[in-house]
Amino acid sequence: MKVAVFSTKAYDRRFLEAANTDHGHELVFFEPHLTSDTAILASDSPAVCAFVNDQLDENTLQALANQGTRLIALRSAGYNNVDLTAASKLGLTIVRVPAYSPYAVAEHTVGLILTLNRKIHRAYNRVREGNFSLDGLLGFDLHGRTVGIVGTGKIGVLVAQILKGFGCQLLAYDVHQNPECEALGAKYVKLPELFQASDIVTLHCPLTKDTYHLIDDQALAQMKQGVMLINTSRGALIDTNAVTEALKSRKIGYLGLDVYEKESDLFFEDLSEDVIQDDVFQRLLTFPNVLITGHQAFFTENALKNIAETTLSNITDIEQGNPCPNIVTPEQKIAA
Ligand code: NAI
């Protein structure tokens, strides 16, 4: 099947081409994001392959459907950027990669926690400049600290597993309790209790209408003074302005982000020669206790290989009329 691949980077191309030897699809790579303006690039492609910051809103989907596209293969787990209701009305099938390496994201999450706590990023720079002073690098033992995990699906439960190894006390909140998480000793509590009791709050739930700005002024007010907040899930789980105020008042003692609510204008691009216009993002970068990575939690060889293989298998399944376990429906959006 001819597949128009949007938001392509060299690494996407390398892994998709390698996996395609088993599938034989005609892959056409485009660097731009998919929007209603760039949809024209897919004009003769029955399938489109999209990533996290492609805009699959009603206008884009309508443009694709008008051109004959029937299948959208997301090379991501999250699908918050897709108007599933519009897709269903237009007869577009949406497939995704539900799990490619939950380990990659869980391990990156713990990397952010360790780096922020022990200030490894600051120590790296100091030592390279011959500054061996320890002032300002004081951390705390993770052992015995309470970590609140919001969302205990595939990634959340792995974070629980790793942190149990550190000797942390685990609290959890989810709309569905996961017995695997309970078996690790995590205690499910209501969200306010999790916020009140946790030294570290880490977010692993999807972005839905229920979780949009889950971390707002009210949630922050319930948290411990000096709490560590980690978000490797989706940017809009956090109200960035509220978090900025909480950093200024020192309510938040540490902030680790791999995602940002307006990341689509920034992440995955080299903007080092540009003047970044997003003042909210730039303000975050001024805090010494904020660590931001540019949506790289998924970025391991294992994950890219799995993403490429599952994406192309999904396309093959749909093309051949085989049952495909990775179809996303509007009902799932409500359930998620
Ligand atoms: P999953 O579907 O296995 O787990 C999500 C969990 O969140 C489920 O247990 C679900 O019941 C729970 N949940 C749903 N609504 C909730 C709510 N309102 N409150 C609390 N919990 C709720 O998903 P997985 O694989 O663990 O991924 C989690 C998120 O991580 C994804 O939605 C995605 O946004 C993000 N992600 C980020 C990546 C990155 O590179 N930074 C890469 C992959 C995923």
Side-chain angles (χ1 to χ4, degrees):
M1 193 184 271
K2 185 166 180 182
V3 187
V5 183
F6 283 85
S7 299
T8 308
K9 298 288 181 199
Y11 46 81
D12 295 311
R13 190 175 182 137
R14 175 155 74 91
F15 282 90
L16 281 167
E17 281 178 341
N20 199 33
T21 51
D22 293 339
H23 294 272
H25 295 298
E26 185 188 343
L27 304 179
V28 187
F29 295 99
F30 299 107
E31 282 182 29
H33 286 327
L34 174 58
T35 64
S36 53
D37 292 334
T38 60
I40 186 76
L41 293 168
S43 57
D44 52 354
S45 300
V48 158
C49 180
F51 196 48
V52 288
N53 290 326
D54 289 319
Q55 285 168 25
L56 292 145
D57 55 18
E58 190 170 1
N59 288 344
T60 308
L61 295 172
Q62 182 73 63
L64 291 173
N66 290 348
Q67 293 168 182
T69 295
R70 287 284 157 263
L71 171 64
I72 312 249
L74 301 172
R75 45 184 202 281
S76 61
Y79 45 87
N80 52 284
N81 53 334
V82 186
D83 183 336
L84 293 177
T85 312
S88 168
K89 278 190 200 141
L90 292 162
L92 289 163
T93 302
I94 312 287
V95 289
R96 67 171 180 141
V97 185
Y100 36 86
S101 175
Y103 302 101
V105 184
E107 289 167 12
H108 190 80
T109 302
V110 177
L112 290 177
I113 293 173
L114 288 171
T115 307
L116 273 169
N117 174 19
R118 306 305 298 271
K119 299 159 179 85
I120 295 167
H121 53 310
R122 301 182 73 189
Y124 171 84
N125 286 322
R126 275 193 196 183
V127 169
R128 288 173 75 92
E129 288 179 7
N131 175 358
F132 304 103
S133 158
L134 299 183
D135 286 334
L137 301 184
L138 193 64
F140 57 85
D141 287 6
L142 278 174
H143 182 92
R145 293 292 173 138
T146 301
V147 183
I149 301 172
V150 181
T152 53
K154 290 178 285 297
I155 295 169
V157 82
L158 286 175
V159 170
Q161 209 175 75
I162 299 170
L163 292 176
K164 184 186 158 75
F166 280 105
C168 295
Q169 304 294 316
L170 303 174
L171 295 179
Y173 172 76
D174 197 306
V175 286
H176 305 292
Q177 299 195 359
N178 182 347
E180 233 185 294
C181 203
E182 284 177 310
L184 289 166
K187 184 177 165 212
Y188 278 92
V189 292
K190 298 225 181 306
L191 210 43
E193 188 181 339
L194 182 146
F195 289 152
Q196 280 156 23
S198 299
D199 300 298
I200 301 172
V201 173
T202 183
L203 306 178
H204 302 289
C205 57
L207 176 62
T208 65
K209 62 177 173 24
D210 294 333
T211 60
Y212 176 79
H213 283 187
L214 183 80
I215 306 300
D216 58 7
D217 285 326
Q218 210 189 336
L220 289 162
Q222 297 169 47
M223 292 186 196
K224 281 191 180 179
Q225 188 69 24
V227 65
M228 182 187 290
L229 177 63
I230 305 288
N231 185 11
T232 59
S233 203
R234 282 293 179 268
L237 294 179
I238 284 181
D239 175 349
T240 313
N241 287 319
V243 157
T244 302
E245 288 309 312
L247 282 161
K248 282 160 75 178
S249 70
R250 297 193 172 265
K251 179 80 182 186
I252 294 182
Y254 311 79
L255 177 68
L257 302 179
D258 186 52
V259 286
Y260 167 60
E261 49 183 334
K262 304 230 169 95
E263 70 178 48
S264 59
D265 296 333
L266 300 171
F267 287 4
F268 306 119
E269 305 304 327
D270 178 0
L271 303 180
S272 52
E273 298 294 319
D274 289 22
V275 174
I276 291 175
Q277 300 295 327
D278 184 335
D279 291 345
V280 176
F281 185 76
Q282 291 301 87
R283 179 69 177 104
L284 280 182
L285 294 180
T286 66
F287 295 100
N289 50 352
V290 172
L291 177 59
I292 305 180
T293 52
H295 208 139
Q296 72 170 83
F298 75 101
F299 198 59
T300 65
E301 296 232 349
N302 316 59
L304 290 192
K305 191 162 177 283
N306 290 339
I307 288 171
E309 280 171 2
T310 307
T311 300
L312 297 178
S313 296
N314 286 341
I315 295 171
T316 303
D317 282 345
I318 301 295
E319 182 180 39
Q320 297 180 353
N322 298 331
C324 176
N326 300 327
I327 293 178
V328 188
T329 62
E331 293 72 42
Q332 264 173 290
K333 183 140 199 161
I334 293 155

